[in-house]
Amino acid sequence: MKVYRDADIDTAVLKDRLVAIIGYGNQGHAHALNLRDSGCRVIVGARENSPSGARAREAGFEVVSYGEAAARGDVVMVSLPDEHIPDVYAAEIAERLRSGTALGFAHGLAVHFGHVVPDAGLDVFLIGPKGAGRWLRAEYEAGRGLACLYAVHQDATGEARAIALAYAAGLGCGRAGIVETSFAEECVSDLFGEQAVLCGGIPALIEAGYRTLVEAGISPEMAYFECLHEAKLIVDLMFEGGPAYMRRAISTTAEYGGYLAGERLVTEETRQEMRRILDDVVSGAFAARLIADTRAGGPELARLRQGQDADIEPVGARIRALMPWLAPKLPDS
Ligand SMILES: NC(=O)c1ccc[n+]([C@@H]2O[C@H](COP(=O)([O-])OP(=O)(O)OC[C@H]3O[C@@H](n4cnc5c(N)ncnc54)[C@H](OP(=O)(O)O)[C@@H]3O)[C@@H](O)[C@H]2O)c1
């Protein structure tokens, strides 16, 4: 694994380049603020009457249309929802980019699966911070940084790598680590991880555990504490020191029972299903389905949202109200 840090990077390559951040959402706002505080000249692209554009203006940025940002930026970061990138890129960005522009993405989906095919005269890079934008910003403000992934898809000018690394350093990621990868590896691992483990596996397991207890007559509050509230403790322990560290920190009863139940829950069948989820990611079938659903107005997403178990939500609100300091609300970013 190749990891770059600030000392390995010459940030002068950004000195005379205008950075245009297209989209001022979760990632975009942190990129714009961190790069500006690192001494870069930054403008923000927003659509008309955009709420996030208004926030960018309040933060003191010059805010222009997506097309103008694409045309003026020497470095153009596309920080929009992945499912909308292909159509916005085709309609507003592609034709406005100048040859030699460095075009950046924070995730590889649109490019890797061929939904965006950048012109051959562009540099194309990826900087994927390993966490949400507010965390990227908070770490930067604290004088630290968040690690990120970096990849180059296309190097038309011979400067793509230098620009991408300087961009990542401007985000503060060089204070932690800038890990070299490819669009393919970033894309596949990110999508698989969020589906099989983070956003698919973990919530499904928590909700199924909660439902099993409630159906067996346990009170919803008890079930919530056991299956959701305490998940934070376990994840925090693994984050701090890995699974073995977590197991040393819990009781022997919990450790022993955990081994037995884990083997029963993650069976060969589960592993087979994980491989099928991975196949759908690698083949591009998932990305195509996401983009097709978005273009159709999101009927499948709406159906999936409807199908979620809503009973757990009011219980969670009651439990969180007991200890509001443990679950502070996210600032609107
Ligand atoms: N979220 C994360 O933690 C994270 C982490 C690493 C990488 N990434 C990557 O970063 C990129 C940006 O993700 P994000 O989470 O920052 O996105 P996001 O917060 O959902 O992006 C919101 C921005 O996109 C604009 N936007 C929303 N829908 C649009 C549409 N249909 N057409 C045009 N503009 C639209 C919004 O403008 P308005 O204000 O006008 O609605 C806003 O400026 C993605 O490639 C993502 O995979 C995200």
Side-chain angles (χ1 to χ4, degrees), residues 22-29 31 45-53 55 66 78-85 88 92 105-108 127-133 186 190 333:
I22 296 190
Y24 194 79
N26 185 319
Q27 282 294 310
H29 89 284
H31 289 220
R47 50 186 174 177
E48 241 176 79
N49 302 319
S50 159
S52 64
R55 284 198 292 276
Y66 288 161
V78 181
S79 189
L80 301 173
D82 296 297
E83 68 277 16
H84 291 294
I85 287 177
V88 176
E92 298 178 61
F105 294 86
H107 173 49
I127 295 297
K130 291 279 88 194
E186 183 274 341
D190 190 79
S333 54

Side-chain angles (χ1 to χ4, degrees), residues 213-227:
L213 282 180
V214 171
E215 281 171 6
I218 302 285
S219 77
E221 286 76 9
M222 285 294 292
Y224 189 93
F225 267 128
E226 291 307 322
C227 297

Side-chain angles (χ1 to χ4, degrees), residues 80-292:
L80 301 173
D82 296 297
E83 68 277 16
H84 291 294
I85 287 177
D87 289 348
V88 176
Y89 185 84
E92 298 178 61
I93 298 175
E95 292 199 348
R96 305 295 303 274
L97 294 165
R98 287 171 283 120
S99 185
T101 297
L103 177 65
F105 294 86
H107 173 49
L109 186 147
V111 171
H112 174 63
F113 293 114
H115 297 281
V116 163
V117 182
D119 191 87
L122 301 168
D123 288 342
V124 182
F125 69 94
L126 176 140
I127 295 297
K130 291 279 88 194
R134 68 196 160 80
W135 198 14
L136 181 66
R137 179 63 182 156
E139 286 298 291
Y140 182 94
E141 285 183 306
R144 300 184 298 260
L146 204 58
C148 75
L149 301 181
Y150 126 85
V152 169
H153 174 73
Q154 213 165 271
D155 188 3
T157 66
E159 290 196 287
R161 284 189 164 70
I163 292 170
L165 286 170
Y167 185 100
L171 296 184
C173 300
R175 302 168 182 170
I178 303 168
V179 180
E180 191 167 77
T181 183
S182 63
F183 271 59
E185 188 180 54
E186 183 274 341
C187 207
V188 166
S189 56
D190 190 79
L191 293 172
F192 175 80
E194 65 197 15
Q195 291 174 28
V197 181
L198 307 175
C199 314
I202 292 176
L205 192 63
I206 287 174
E207 286 168 16
Y210 168 85
R211 176 71 28 213
T212 304
L213 282 180
V214 171
E215 281 171 6
I218 302 285
S219 77
E221 286 76 9
M222 285 294 292
Y224 189 93
F225 267 128
E226 291 307 322
C227 297
L228 194 152
H229 180 87
E230 293 199 33
K232 174 165 169 44
L233 171 70
I234 299 302
V235 170
D236 281 353
L237 285 168
M238 289 196 286
F239 185 87
E240 274 168 43
Y245 170 93
M246 176 275 288
R247 291 189 175 106
R248 281 199 303 280
I250 60 180
S251 69
T252 306
T253 313
E255 182 191 2
Y256 180 74
Y259 290 132
L260 296 180
E263 280 179 3
R264 293 171 70 174
L265 286 166
V266 180
T267 60
E268 187 44 37
E269 199 185 331
T270 318
R271 277 185 278 272
Q272 276 296 350
E273 201 54 52
M274 282 196 173
R275 285 183 209 111
R276 283 192 283 270
I277 291 169
L278 181 60
D279 287 346
D280 283 351
V281 167
V282 171
S283 69
F286 167 77
R289 183 170 170 170
L290 169 73
I291 290 166

